[in-house]
Amino acid sequence: MTDRNFNEIADRFESKLYGHWRGQIRLQLVTEGILEDAVCLQQQKPLRILDAGCGLGQMTLLLAERGHHITACDLSSVLLERARKRIEDANPELLSQIEFHCCPLQSIATQLGKQPTGQFDLIVVHAVLEWLEHPRAGLESLLPLLKSGGELSLLFYNRHSIVFKNLLRADFRRIDEQDFKGDAGGLTPINPLLPEDMTQWLQQNSISVVTQRGIRTFYDYMEQNLDRNKPPKASFEEIMRKEKLFSTLEPYRGLARYLLWHCRKL
């Protein structure tokens, strides 16, 4: 198993995720979450931000539009070029605020050259670690780049949600064999993560978790997702209202497909 590169399935990734309600729900909830939870983004000054695994560039664009200086990296040259094009189409002048690096996130420090330690006010790592062969090592390669008191926005694929979904489907083989990695060529991550492990990794690296949100607490369990032949029983707007309501409430938050944690370096 190696880190997943999306070059060969970029079209499928873009259409299947962001051409579907699940991607739109995720993007809207994550956008609102980071803007509400990141204290540094509420200050009236430009920040240095690392978007590690920037994908199609939605977060890079969001943060550049707010006047910040972004270092954006991704393993996929195809996704990185699409991110650049997205930003150029939105506002070509924003490109002067952004450095693009096509590289694994584990090597971004090398890409930055001399003395990269502690230079970022905020590091964004959204839906990336679960695609790595060694997620902890990937995370720990980024943390030295964060300033003391700096903030980390972390979105990861929740292994508990996969277990629960397999229980609902009576797919007990996967549970018995602890086989939760996605099929080859699919869009299910290779390394769904346990929040208990993530808590330990962060604590051992002097990172405190300040806020926690669930992203898609119930949408992935709805009838039309378990049985694709059944139409939705609620509108997108109705689903969004309930997703926002339950995103911070336990036990619903703990079963969400993704967990969005906002953290601070001690």
Side-chain angles (χ1 to χ4, degrees):
M1 184 168 62
T2 59
D3 296 354
R4 186 61 181 274
N5 188 321
F6 284 87
N7 275 347
E8 294 182 359
I9 59 168
D11 290 338
R12 185 179 179 196
F13 171 76
E14 186 167 6
S15 64
K16 290 291 185 181
L17 181 58
Y18 293 107
H20 189 280
W21 279 11
R22 62 177 175 266
Q24 296 165 29
I25 291 169
R26 187 181 91 175
L27 181 60
Q28 186 170 331
L29 289 172
V30 170
T31 298
E32 293 178 4
I34 191 172
L35 292 178
E36 289 178 13
D37 296 340
V39 174
C40 62
L41 295 180
Q42 298 164 22
Q43 302 170 7
Q44 299 300 313
K45 65 176 184 178
L47 306 174
R48 290 207 64 189
I49 299 174
L50 171 62
D51 190 356
C54 65
L56 293 166
Q58 290 95 337
M59 284 297 118
T60 297
L61 174 58
L62 174 78
L63 297 169
E65 287 177 329
R66 282 158 174 75
H68 304 299
H69 302 285
I70 319 297
T71 298
C73 77
D74 203 279
L75 180 61
S76 169
S77 58
V78 176
L79 293 187
L80 198 66
E81 183 54 37
R82 293 187 185 187
R84 186 196 302 270
K85 183 66 164 55
R86 175 189 299 274
I87 293 160
E88 185 176 26
D89 289 345
N91 183 352
E93 294 182 1
L94 294 177
L95 292 174
S96 64
Q97 299 167 217
I98 305 166
E99 294 180 20
F100 293 97
H101 296 271
C102 186
C103 67
L105 62 79
Q106 301 93 324
S107 67
I108 187 63
T110 303
Q111 293 280 322
L112 295 175
K114 296 181 179 179
Q115 298 182 333
T117 302
Q119 63 174 278
F120 291 107
D121 302 286
L122 171 66
I123 295 180
V124 176
V125 191
H126 286 175
V128 180
L129 297 180
E130 59 265 26
W131 294 103
L132 304 184
E133 182 178 3
H134 302 294
R136 177 173 184 168
L139 175 65
E140 290 180 340
S141 72
L142 297 173
L143 297 180
L145 303 177
L146 190 60
K147 290 180 179 179
S148 177
E151 299 176 49
L152 169 71
S153 180
L154 183 62
L155 178 73
F156 62 95
Y157 202 85
N158 181 13
R159 183 164 167 169
H160 291 316
S161 75
I162 295 297
V163 172
F164 193 56
K165 191 168 186 177
N166 282 317
L167 286 171
L168 294 176
R169 290 177 166 177
D171 191 350
F172 302 139
R173 178 199 64 79
R174 286 188 180 272
I175 296 171
D176 293 340
E177 297 177 5
Q178 295 290 287
D179 176 18
F180 303 117
K181 64 180 183 298
D183 298 326
L187 293 176
T188 299
I190 62 176
N191 248 333
L193 298 167
L194 287 170
E196 295 85 351
D197 288 344
M198 186 64 70
T199 298
Q200 183 181 59
W201 300 348
L202 292 170
Q203 288 177 345
Q204 291 176 352
N205 285 275
S206 299
I207 303 291
S208 65
V209 180
V210 180
T211 63
Q212 299 183 36
R213 297 173 183 264
I215 304 299
R216 302 206 315 251
T217 57
F218 66 86
Y219 177 75
D220 291 48
Y221 306 116
M222 290 180 71
E223 216 171 10
Q224 75 265 20
N225 292 302
L226 298 174
D227 181 352
R228 296 303 173 89
N229 294 318
K230 294 189 176 182
K233 291 184 177 180
S235 68
F236 180 85
E237 291 74 21
E238 290 171 324
I239 290 171
M240 280 300 309
R241 281 197 293 271
K242 287 296 187 289
E243 283 286 356
K244 290 178 186 178
L245 175 63
F246 287 98
S247 66
T248 57
L249 300 178
E250 290 291 8
Y252 317 101
R253 180 180 66 189
L255 287 174
R257 179 49 48 90
Y258 291 88
L259 300 177
L260 177 64
W261 290 3
H262 197 76
C263 313
R264 183 180 298 276
K265 189 173 185 177
L266 302 176

